[in-house]
Amino acid sequence: MKLLVGYTADDRGAEAIELASALVSGTPEAALEIAIVLPATAPFNAVYPGGDHGYSSILSAQVDQWAEQALAMVPAGIGASVVARSVSSVAEGLIDLAQEHQADGIVLGGRKRHRAGFFLPGAIANALLHSSPVAVFMSSPPALKTLRNAHGKLTRLTAFVGDRPGAKDVIEQAARIATDSALPLRIATLVLPFDVQDPERDLEAHVQSTRAYLTELTGSMNLDVSIEVVVGRNLDEATAQLSWQPGDLALLGSARLATDRKLFIGPKAQRILGNLSVPMGVIPNPGSNS
C-alpha cells in the first residue's frame, strides 16, 4: 500500500505520519509519499531525497529541514520520500500529487474535537471528503491515542454499511484493505426508528432482516466477518453503542450521489465520523465498471 501524507511541520503533521505508518505497516510494498504543499507564491517543485541534487538552489533551507524531520519519523521497513510543491489550493494539490504518485489514499493529521465533543474536519479535509478520487484517512488526537495503546499497530477494521445495494461495494473495498493488512473485519450497521414505518411493530423485524441480508451478502463473498446491527434513537446514540478496541480503524463509504471513482461524504456518514473515537477513513465510489 502507498499513501500520500499531507504534512505540516507541527504536531498535526507528526500525527499524520504516525497514522499513515500504521496503515501501511505490513502491507505489500509499504510506502509513504510525504507532501509538503506550499502557497502558490512560493516557487518550489522538488523531491527529497533523490532526483536532481540541484534542488537546494530552489528549495529553501526551511523546507529542506522539514523534509529531513518528516523522514526521520517514518519507522524502519517503510519506504518514504518527500515531495514539495507550490499549489494554489492545498486540497487540489494533494489530489494531484496522490494521482501523480499513484497513492491508494491521502492521510491528514488530527484536529481537536469541537467544543460540543464532535470531531470536526478542517477545511482541507472537508474539501477532500467531497472531491477526492482516493480514500481519505484522518484522526483526532484522542482517537490517535487508541492506536498508540495498540503500540501503533492496527488490530481491526470496522466498515459502516447500510442495507442497500451500495453495501457490497464498501464491503469489497474494506475486505481488500483488511486482507492486505491481515486484519479481522467487522461490519457495522446503525438502525434508527425512522428507518421503518411503525417502530413498535416493525423495528425488530427490520433489525433481523438487516442482519440476515448482511450475513447472506458476506457469505456469498466468502468473507469471514463479524456483523453488528445497532439500534439507537438517533445516530449519536447508535454510534455510541459500538465498542472499540485499541488499534481499531473505522471505514465509511461515499454517498450514493457520488460520481464514479469520486468521494462524496453524505450527512449521515459525516455525523458518524463526528462521533468516532478511533482513526477513520472514507472511501470513494468504486465506479460502475469496478
Side-chain angles (χ1 to χ4, degrees):
M1 177 185 287
K2 184 176 187 178
L3 295 175
L4 183 88
V5 183
Y7 180 74
T8 51
D10 54 16
D11 289 343
R12 189 177 304 174
E15 290 169 357
I17 292 178
E18 186 176 358
L19 174 58
S21 298
L23 289 167
V24 302
S25 179
T27 66
E29 301 180 0
L32 301 181
E33 190 70 39
I34 302 171
I36 300 176
V37 289
L38 307 166
T41 53
F44 298 134
N45 185 4
V47 175
Y48 179 97
D52 180 8
H53 293 287
Y55 75 89
S56 57
S57 63
I58 59 171
L59 187 64
S60 73
Q62 180 64 76
V63 175
D64 190 1
Q65 182 180 11
W66 290 340
E68 291 191 48
Q69 291 172 345
L71 289 170
M73 298 179 196
V74 180
I78 297 175
S81 60
V82 177
V83 57
R85 179 72 56 84
S86 296
V87 297
S88 57
S89 162
V90 174
E92 291 179 5
L94 291 173
I95 288 174
D96 289 343
L97 286 169
Q99 294 179 312
E100 179 181 324
H101 292 276
Q102 299 182 320
D104 299 299
I106 299 171
V107 184
L108 300 177
R111 285 185 63 87
K112 294 182 179 179
R113 287 184 174 267
H114 186 264
R115 61 184 178 183
F118 296 105
F119 173 78
L120 189 65
I124 296 171
N126 194 54
L128 290 173
L129 289 173
H130 291 87
S131 60
S132 177
V134 297
V136 174
F137 298 94
M138 53 196 165
S139 185
S140 64
L144 203 59
K145 288 181 181 178
T146 67
L147 181 60
R148 292 170 182 161
N149 288 338
H151 307 290
K153 302 293 184 182
L154 295 179
T155 60
R156 181 175 61 177
L157 177 62
T158 296
F160 284 86
V161 302
D163 58 356
R164 301 186 181 186
K168 183 177 181 181
D169 292 333
V170 176
I171 293 173
E172 284 179 340
Q173 294 184 76
R176 283 196 291 268
I177 295 174
T179 298
D180 288 344
S181 303
L183 297 174
L185 178 60
R186 175 174 67 162
I187 306 300
T189 296
L190 308 182
V191 175
L192 308 179
F194 55 74
D195 289 338
V196 296
Q197 186 172 4
D198 186 341
E200 291 189 6
R201 182 192 66 193
D202 303 327
L203 187 58
E204 182 58 31
H206 178 66
V207 170
Q208 295 303 323
S209 65
T210 298
R211 187 184 304 278
Y213 165 73
L214 293 173
T215 299
E216 181 180 359
L217 176 61
T218 54
S220 69
M221 299 165 69
N222 295 317
L223 297 178
D224 181 15
V225 303
S226 61
I227 297 173
E228 293 191 32
V229 181
V230 181
V231 180
R233 290 174 296 181
N234 51 55
L235 280 176
D236 297 344
E237 182 178 281
T239 307
Q241 292 188 52
L242 281 171
S243 61
W244 299 97
Q245 65 186 33
D248 259 324
L249 173 70
L251 199 67
L252 294 92
S254 293
R256 290 185 300 278
L257 55 78
T259 58
D260 284 0
R261 305 187 187 281
K262 289 286 186 178
L263 194 159
F264 190 93
I265 187 171
K268 183 174 181 179
Q270 196 149 17
R271 189 69 181 186
I272 293 172
L273 282 181
N275 284 279
L276 294 177
S277 59
V278 297
M280 61 205 79
V282 183
I283 54 180
N285 183 330
S288 58
N289 296 323
S290 61

